Amino acid sequence: MGLFRKREPTKNEKAHHEVIKMVNMWGEQYYRWDGKLYNSDIVRSCLRPKVKAVGKLVGKHIRDSTDGVKVNPEANIRFLLSEPNPHMTGQQFQEKVANQLCLNNNAFILIIRDGNGKPMQLYPVPCDFCETVYKNDELYLRFQYRNGTIRVFPYTDIIHLRQDYNDHEIFGSSPAEALKGMMEVVSTIDQGIIKAIKNSGLIRWLLTFNQSMRKEDIKAYVKEFVDNYLSVDSETWGAAGVDSKVTATRIEPKDYVPNALQTKETINRIYSFFNTNEAIIQSKWTEDQWNAYYEAEIEPVAIQFGQVYSVKLFTRKERGCGNRIVFEASNLQCASLRSKLELLAMVDRGAMTPNEWRATLNMAPIEGGDKPIRRLDTQVVNLVEDMLVKMNSENCLVMAGMITQLLKAAEREKDGETQNQYQGRADPE
């Protein structure tokens, strides 16, 4: 029985711990500019479409049982997903977590439980520093907040979301090193443009006097030259004349301005790193472009949210009873009006309820719209066979009435055809 006992970590393993530093901290080992990725307009524009889409995900508690599928069967879990804490709604909470996930490839959510171990509140952990700590063979995470406060929480009370999960055993790989070079290039280009603009307003003319003059006379002569020849209001603006005691030389500024193509390519590399493009960022996407972006970026996050929430909010026994969390996204909201109208065929066949179809059109639900409907000409082919199998006294009377009506209709149709034939023969006479 001891073959499957959990292995005790060695002394070296206990001493070993992994550390991750978030990119929102100030530190020379990450960046040489002002230090924060989120301050970059390019990075923020790359993150915003994904963050907004993740914020629109709708979390639901699903319970699969022999009685069927139940949606949000417990009020406390439903409130936890829609109102995770007194300071945030579900949409605001998911956007904040998504921002941390995109910037650090790690996002931490603290679970506050009641005396019975039931989850009551959820809080994002905006830390600058995180490391793993083992206590009595159990994994803990030590967080250092921005104000210097340090807190330690058991890993079982942390919902941990991660991306680029490769190097570390616990943490996702930070994007800092991969973005470091590109962000320095963008920062240098921006600074170069600013300096070029400032230098454009510097000295344009150099007056060289051929004889010794007092400083006051030099200053007065330069002012007179500017007022007479460089001022727009001057009568001689555009033409200048000087005597032999001074030489006027025009200075052409030769500031380096980065090539527009090089700048665009650097920005495209950042777009590629965040798996986005200009159409998504500037909301110029087509239906197919958004569907591709959704499947590549949003859907994996929705799946990870659902699986990690399920593991941390429910015990193994509760999950075995069919309890799970799913995050749904109505991707049909981004479909064209023509595609939404074509979904009416799905409503006629019972694949969608009327209220589900109305939701894609941003219309309010209607009473009775949660029940699927089906056109009579789209009934299942074995409907009559199923009725005969389930035949009882009540069904027998219904079937007899239907057969009687069909016979009467057939008899009336036959009488009509006979009468028409008789009239057709009588007309020639």
Side-chain angles (χ1 to χ4, degrees):
M1 296 300 293
L3 292 177
F4 302 99
R5 181 172 56 86
K6 182 179 179 181
R7 182 180 68 85
E8 294 289 337
T10 64
K11 185 175 181 180
N12 292 334
E13 288 177 334
K14 290 182 178 181
H16 176 70
H17 59 271
E18 298 289 352
V19 179
I20 181 173
K21 296 182 180 180
M22 313 306 253
V23 298
N24 56 14
M25 71 176 297
W26 295 78
E28 69 282 358
Q29 58 180 316
Y30 274 93
Y31 303 110
R32 279 178 280 180
W33 68 93
D34 62 353
K36 291 190 177 182
L37 261 182
Y38 201 62
N39 286 347
S40 169
D41 62 314
I42 299 176
V43 172
R44 192 176 298 193
S45 64
C46 291
L47 302 186
R48 188 177 292 115
K50 182 175 180 179
V51 169
K52 295 295 183 182
V54 172
K56 293 192 293 184
L57 297 176
V58 179
K60 293 183 179 180
H61 174 201
I62 304 298
R63 177 177 293 167
D64 301 317
S65 62
T66 55
D67 298 334
V69 178
K70 296 181 180 180
V71 180
N72 293 328
E74 297 182 10
N76 65 317
I77 299 297
R78 175 168 57 87
F79 278 113
L80 186 67
L81 297 175
S82 60
E83 303 173 11
N85 60 67
H87 311 296
M88 304 178 188
T89 63
Q91 183 257 354
Q92 295 169 341
F93 179 85
Q94 289 165 201
E95 284 193 5
K96 187 174 182 66
V97 172
N99 264 320
Q100 295 180 6
L101 181 62
C102 294
L103 286 172
N104 301 291
N105 285 335
N106 290 273
F108 306 98
I109 303 172
L110 175 63
I111 306 173
I112 304 298
R113 305 181 188 270
D114 61 10
N116 298 322
K118 295 293 183 180
M120 299 299 295
Q121 293 180 358
L122 300 176
Y123 287 91
V125 184
C127 62
D128 285 343
F129 182 87
C130 179
E131 65 176 337
T132 59
V133 179
Y134 288 92
K135 295 181 179 180
N136 298 324
D137 303 336
E138 295 295 333
L139 176 60
Y140 288 74
L141 293 183
R142 177 186 291 154
F143 298 101
Q144 179 178 335
Y145 300 153
R146 296 172 186 173
N147 60 2
T149 305
I150 296 178
R151 292 288 185 271
V152 180
F153 302 106
Y155 194 70
T156 53
D157 288 340
I158 297 293
I159 297 177
H160 184 190
L161 303 166
R162 46 200 167 187
Q163 296 181 151
D164 293 348
Y165 188 33
N166 181 34
D167 295 336
H168 299 90
E169 180 182 357
I170 303 297
F171 303 119
S173 300
S174 173
E177 291 300 324
L179 284 173
K180 179 179 178 180
M182 289 183 288
M183 294 306 300
E184 287 181 349
V185 171
V186 173
S187 178
T188 303
I189 290 175
D190 292 342
Q191 293 174 11
I193 294 175
I194 293 174
K195 290 181 179 180
I197 294 175
K198 290 182 177 179
N199 291 339
S200 64
L202 297 179
I203 298 174
R204 293 293 185 88
W205 289 87
L206 178 63
L207 301 181
T208 305
F209 295 93
N210 299 325
Q211 59 185 5
S212 178
M213 298 179 63
R214 295 184 304 171
K215 293 182 179 180
E216 295 82 0
D217 295 337
I218 294 175
K219 186 175 181 180
Y221 194 95
V222 171
K223 185 178 185 304
E224 181 182 359
F225 180 85
V226 172
D227 293 339
N228 291 337
Y229 306 117
L230 301 183
S231 175
V232 179
D233 299 331
S234 174
E235 295 180 356
T236 58
W237 181 70
V242 293
D243 54 19
S244 59
K245 62 183 178 181
V246 64
T247 302
T249 306
R250 180 177 176 83
I251 299 177
E252 295 291 342
K254 297 181 181 180
D255 299 312
Y256 172 74
V257 178
N259 188 297
L261 182 60
Q262 294 177 348
T263 305
K264 186 175 181 180
E265 287 300 320
T266 302
I267 295 175
N268 284 334
R269 289 179 61 188
I270 299 177
Y271 288 170
S272 298
F273 182 86
F274 289 104
N275 203 13
T276 186
N277 54 60
E278 185 175 340
I280 297 295
I281 291 175
Q282 299 182 1
S283 300
K284 300 186 296 184
W285 40 263
T286 62
E287 185 177 350
D288 292 337
Q289 288 175 332
W290 178 260
N291 288 334
Y293 180 75
Y294 171 83
E295 292 184 2
E297 285 294 304
I298 312 303
E299 190 174 23
V301 176
I303 294 174
Q304 183 177 182
F305 263 67
Q307 292 180 350
V308 178
Y309 269 64
S310 299
V311 171
K312 292 303 177 74
L313 297 183
F314 298 119
T315 64
R316 191 177 184 88
K317 181 179 180 181
E318 290 174 333
R319 297 196 302 273
C321 294
N323 292 282
R324 56 191 173 94
I325 301 294
V326 298
F327 282 81
E328 296 180 344
S330 179
N331 199 35
L332 296 175
Q333 295 282 359
C334 303
S336 63
L337 181 59
R338 179 177 179 180
S339 299
K340 293 178 180 179
L341 293 177
E342 290 176 351
L343 292 174
L344 182 61
M346 304 294 290
V347 179
D348 292 342
R349 287 160 175 77
M352 294 180 65
T353 63
N355 281 345
E356 289 175 338
W357 178 64
R358 290 173 64 87
T360 64
L361 298 173
N362 294 322
M363 300 174 65
I366 59 176
E367 185 177 355
D370 293 326
K371 297 180 180 179
I373 60 177
R374 186 189 291 270
R375 277 174 27 193
L376 294 179
D377 59 347
T378 60
Q379 295 287 350
V380 291
V381 293
N382 60 345
L383 180 62
V384 177
E385 181 181 351
D386 291 342
M387 291 183 63
L388 293 176
V389 171
K390 300 177 181 179
M391 186 65 68
N392 53 30
S393 59
E394 183 179 353
N395 291 339
C396 184
L397 293 175
V398 175
M399 181 63 71
M402 293 178 59
I403 294 175
T404 301
Q405 292 179 2
L406 290 174
L407 291 175
K408 288 181 179 181
E411 186 176 354
R412 286 196 299 268
E413 184 178 356
K414 184 177 181 181
D415 292 342
E417 292 178 355
T418 303
Q419 186 176 0
N420 291 337
Q421 290 178 0
Y422 177 77
Q423 290 178 354
R425 293 175 182 175
D427 290 340
E429 295 178 358

